[in-house]
Amino acid sequence: DRSDELTRFAYTVSHDLKSPLVTVQTFLGYLEADLGRQDAAGVAKDLGYIRNAADKMSRLLDELLDLARVGRKMNPPKEASLQELAQEALSLVAGRIAARGVEVVITPERAVLFGDQTRLVEVFQNLVDNAVKFMGEQPRPRVEIGAETRGSQTVFFVRDNGMGIDPRHKDKLFGLFEKLDPGTEGTGIGLTLARRIVEVHGGKMWLESEGPGKGATFLFTLADAS
């Protein structure tokens, strides 16, 4: 029910903002003490914690605004090839891909997406980012971006050979702020945002995984694609 979802959303936002806020308040106290003692190293450390906490709050608020704008603020729809959008998305997460040594393969098969190009790049960016983040101990990490025909529909996918997901948890993945692994960085908004963009484009997004250790495939359709 909508009111339950809103209540959970309010609790989660306040929780996610409260943690860095407490950090700021705590280290302001330490900063005051370290300034009094003229402890330069302590001051630098305190400021570092305060800066990181403020950055985290800022990032969270930016992502919430981004999510709220989907569907309200859209760029004029245009045609773009799967390869163009995927390459642009990969350039945005190139650092994480290189750090983890992930091989990324984009299908050479022609497929065309129609919609807000900036938003569609975000879909691939979030799906690839998620795949790389959850590679686990995979010695040969690999992500494949492609498209296939299922019935009369073109289905786009981002497939990885990483940690995989217990099918029982797959619906939780798209919930706002839901994180199956609380230890990972980020706010957990990425997949929610990706699915929301796809839905605004008249499509749907879902997950397929044979279970833990067997990789995962995120798939989506769009109203206008070929």
Side-chain angles (χ1 to χ4, degrees):
D1 146 297
R2 270 315 265 183
S3 69
D4 283 350
E5 193 182 332
L6 193 59
T7 303
R8 196 166 62 84
F9 172 73
Y11 274 122
T12 315
V13 172
S14 60
H15 173 270
D16 275 45
L17 283 173
K18 187 83 176 171
S19 173
L21 194 55
V22 168
T23 299
V24 170
Q25 290 167 332
T26 303
F27 279 92
L28 279 173
Y30 291 158
L31 179 62
E32 208 170 11
D34 287 334
L35 282 169
R37 288 196 297 266
Q38 296 190 319
D39 177 355
V43 166
K45 185 175 149 192
D46 301 334
L47 287 173
Y49 277 109
I50 291 168
R51 189 175 295 112
N52 286 341
D55 286 348
K56 184 177 179 183
M57 285 191 285
S58 178
R59 200 161 56 243
L60 175 65
L61 291 170
D62 285 345
E63 288 182 354
L64 281 171
L65 282 171
D66 204 23
L67 188 60
R69 285 190 193 111
V70 176
R72 291 187 179 89
K73 190 180 174 193
M74 302 286 278
N75 297 305
K78 288 197 287 192
E79 275 194 356
S81 73
L82 171 63
Q83 289 76 14
E84 284 175 73
L85 297 173
Q87 287 290 3
E88 192 175 335
L90 293 179
S91 70
L92 295 170
V93 284
R96 197 188 291 276
I97 290 168
R100 185 63 180 81
V102 180
E103 177 195 5
V104 181
V105 179
I106 304 174
T107 180
E109 306 240 340
R110 178 92 178 145
V112 175
L113 296 82
F114 182 75
D116 178 338
Q117 284 191 285
T118 305
R119 288 301 193 182
L120 293 175
V121 166
E122 273 187 86
V123 171
F124 286 107
Q125 179 187 346
N126 280 302
L127 293 181
V128 172
D129 196 44
N130 184 74
V132 175
K133 210 185 286 182
F134 292 99
M135 275 300 171
E137 301 302 310
Q138 171 60 253
R140 290 200 179 90
R142 188 175 193 270
V143 172
E144 185 188 350
I145 301 171
E148 59 191 36
T149 304
R150 292 192 183 183
S152 60
Q153 283 192 309
T154 301
V155 178
F156 302 95
F157 64 82
V158 174
R159 179 175 293 132
D160 67 66
N161 61 352
M163 292 163 65
I165 293 151
D166 187 323
R168 288 174 303 177
H169 298 320
K170 64 183 184 182
D171 290 332
K172 273 185 80 176
L173 270 183
F174 295 105
L176 193 56
F177 296 106
E178 292 281 8
K179 292 173 72 175
L180 295 187
D181 181 358
T184 55
E185 60 183 283
T187 57
I189 292 179
L191 292 178
T192 313
L193 181 62
R195 185 160 80 165
R196 179 82 186 104
I197 293 167
V198 165
E199 287 171 349
V200 163
H201 282 82
K204 61 176 187 166
M205 178 178 286
W206 69 98
L207 164 82
E208 292 175 1
S209 177
E210 289 179 23
K214 299 193 172 172
T217 305
F218 283 87
L219 306 100
F220 67 92
T221 59
L222 298 172
D224 297 301
S226 56

